[in-house]
Amino acid sequence: QVQLVESGGGLVQAGGSLRLSCAASGRTFRKYAMGWFRQAPGKEREFVAAVSWSGGATYYADSVKGRFTLSRDSAKNTVYLQMVSLKPEDTAVYYCAAVATYDSDYVTLSGNYDYWGQGTQVTVSS
């Protein structure tokens, strides 16, 4: 079992930065790859980024590539999503999730994830 708790969301102006954190509990955390998804009102949940269990591999959606950086600190059981150059279209509830398999195609599908956090709101004003 893995429990996930996101934090770090908030209101920021366009061009600003935020760092989201996802704290995991459960001793099996290190066996899971981790992903971030987001969901804006009236839209489908979409993939943002994923990191392998070791932290050595990352994969990003084209819409955030070059602006978002995902990392993990296994000693702290935490993953971080650093977001810079934020745009109004980044506004959404952001969710972290854990998945047992890391593959660039597999991790983009929300249905493949085993555990989810409750989400944190990110609002980017223009």
Side-chain angles (χ1 to χ4, degrees):
Q1 285 284 349
V2 176
Q3 292 80 44
L4 305 173
V5 179
E6 302 97 333
S7 61
L11 173 65
V12 64
Q13 289 188 329
S17 302
L18 281 174
R19 188 178 78 159
L20 305 184
S21 299
C22 175
S25 59
R27 60 180 180 174
T28 60
F29 168 72
R30 297 184 183 186
K31 298 181 181 179
Y32 286 85
M34 298 296 295
W36 284 90
F37 287 77
R38 65 187 182 186
Q39 189 167 19
K43 294 189 176 181
E44 300 274 326
R45 188 169 297 190
E46 66 172 354
F47 170 77
V48 174
V51 61
S52 62
W53 67 270
S54 68
T58 52
Y59 188 67
Y60 298 92
D62 288 342
S63 59
V64 306
K65 202 172 294 183
R67 299 188 298 121
F68 291 12
T69 303
L70 179 56
S71 61
R72 69 188 295 165
D73 185 337
S74 293
K76 296 183 178 180
N77 278 7
T78 302
V79 294
Y80 303 99
L81 184 66
Q82 179 68 50
M83 307 185 294
V84 302
S85 302
L86 283 162
K87 305 175 182 180
E89 51 263 45
D90 293 318
T91 296
V93 177
Y94 283 70
Y95 299 89
C96 73
V99 62
T101 300
Y102 182 82
D103 171 85
S104 59
D105 292 325
Y106 194 84
V107 296
T108 63
L109 301 176
S110 60
N112 291 332
Y113 284 73
D114 302 292
Y115 303 101
W116 290 84
Q118 83 289 348
T120 186
Q121 176 71 46
V122 171
T123 303
V124 184
S125 63
S126 57

